[in-house]
Amino acid sequence: MRVPVTVVPLSSSGAAGQPKPLLVLGSSLGVAVERLWAPVLPLLGDRYHVLGWDLPGHGRTHHDGSAGSFTVADLASAVVELAARRGTPGLPAYYAGVSLGGATGLQAAADHPGAFAAVALVCSAAVLGTPEAWTQRAVTVRAQGTPALVEGSAARWFAPGFADREAQVAGGLLHDLAHEVDDEGYAACCEALAAYDLSDRLGEVTDPVLVLNGAADQVVPPAAAEQVASGVADGRAVILPEVGHQAPVEDPTGTAEALLAFCR
């Protein structure tokens, strides 16, 4: 299935005659890509031409249910097509995504080897949660809307103490979840995650893979990062201390340093 995703320009492509490698960024469920990655972008310097993409029903990507359901594999195909269309021939294209955005990157590496020179999973893994939990969350959102998820997400998303120290940052992400995400788009993403499991396909992945997780991530614990890093042909795991499930806002410096070292 062809899934429309909206391209979000996050940096310039470089001066005339000076093209840059492409870095495509994906976001986590419930958050627009521009909001989540904003603290990291200034720390990347001018090394890349950075593009983001928003999940269906998030940020700039509209989703009202008329296009039907989709899978993580469908999202991966859309992102690979985006990179092929917007990258510069002869220069590498890299990918980094958070949570569902990271799962999309791993799916792209499994289904479209070589589409990206390297793939970074941030706070993500080969399987996220259980099918039953995602199916029930989709039911909840369709019945009560995304505001019903704010309390639980506030507890799961951040390392202890972060929301108190950075109330404006944490509140911005939770505001997006409650007020800026389309209910049907969110529910459809939940159903895509219910069917997502690449645990048995890690051995097929030959692209270099970075798994960047938080030591305090309740959703994707460090052991899940190690499983991916050890299961693919060329993998490495980096664990950020005192970080939960939203590494780009919780530790922008650590996230940027890991990407700059990996995507080169």
Side-chain angles (χ1 to χ4, degrees):
M1 175 184 175
R2 187 182 182 91
V3 181
V5 296
T6 302
V7 179
V8 182
L10 298 176
S11 77
S12 69
S13 57
Q18 296 179 319
K20 303 175 186 178
L22 177 67
L23 175 61
V24 179
L25 300 178
S27 191
S28 70
L29 183 62
V31 183
V33 69
E34 205 162 2
R35 168 87 74 175
L36 184 58
W37 284 98
V40 175
L41 296 176
L43 306 177
L44 297 177
D46 61 355
R47 182 181 295 184
Y48 313 107
H49 173 206
V50 187
L51 296 176
W53 66 280
D54 276 318
L55 292 163
H58 294 59
R60 304 187 194 187
T61 301
H62 177 69
H63 182 80
D64 59 6
S66 62
S69 62
F70 52 86
T71 65
V72 176
D74 294 327
L75 294 175
S77 295
V79 169
V80 166
E81 181 181 332
L82 180 163
R85 189 172 70 247
R86 301 295 290 268
T88 300
L91 291 180
Y94 303 104
Y95 181 85
V98 182
S99 196
L100 175 50
T104 301
L106 186 60
Q107 186 82 55
D111 292 349
H112 309 275
F116 293 103
V119 171
L121 281 64
V122 183
C123 304
S124 193
V127 61
L128 299 171
T130 67
E132 297 78 15
W134 288 119
T135 300
Q136 182 55 53
R137 190 181 299 188
V139 171
T140 298
V141 168
R142 288 189 173 111
Q144 303 176 36
T146 56
L149 306 177
V150 169
E151 183 176 355
S153 297
R156 288 190 304 271
W157 276 3
F158 310 111
F162 177 81
D164 294 329
R165 294 192 309 272
E166 300 288 348
Q168 185 173 359
V169 175
L173 266 66
L174 294 167
H175 176 274
D176 277 6
L177 172 64
H179 302 290
E180 302 297 334
V181 178
D182 175 78
D183 293 343
E184 182 56 37
Y186 188 101
C189 287
C190 289
E191 290 169 340
L193 279 168
Y196 167 75
D197 187 347
L198 292 179
S199 301
D200 293 335
R201 295 190 61 192
L202 292 177
E204 302 174 26
V205 176
T206 57
D207 296 342
V209 174
L210 169 70
V211 194
L212 180 65
N213 281 50
D217 192 342
Q218 300 177 48
V219 181
V220 186
E226 299 286 356
Q227 178 193 23
V228 175
S230 63
V232 300
D234 182 5
R236 67 207 72 175
V238 174
I239 307 301
L240 298 173
E242 299 182 18
V243 167
H245 193 57
Q246 306 290 356
V249 296
E250 293 182 85
D251 187 357
T253 299
T255 300
E257 288 177 348
L259 291 179
L260 287 167
F262 183 66
C263 301
R264 52 187 309 168

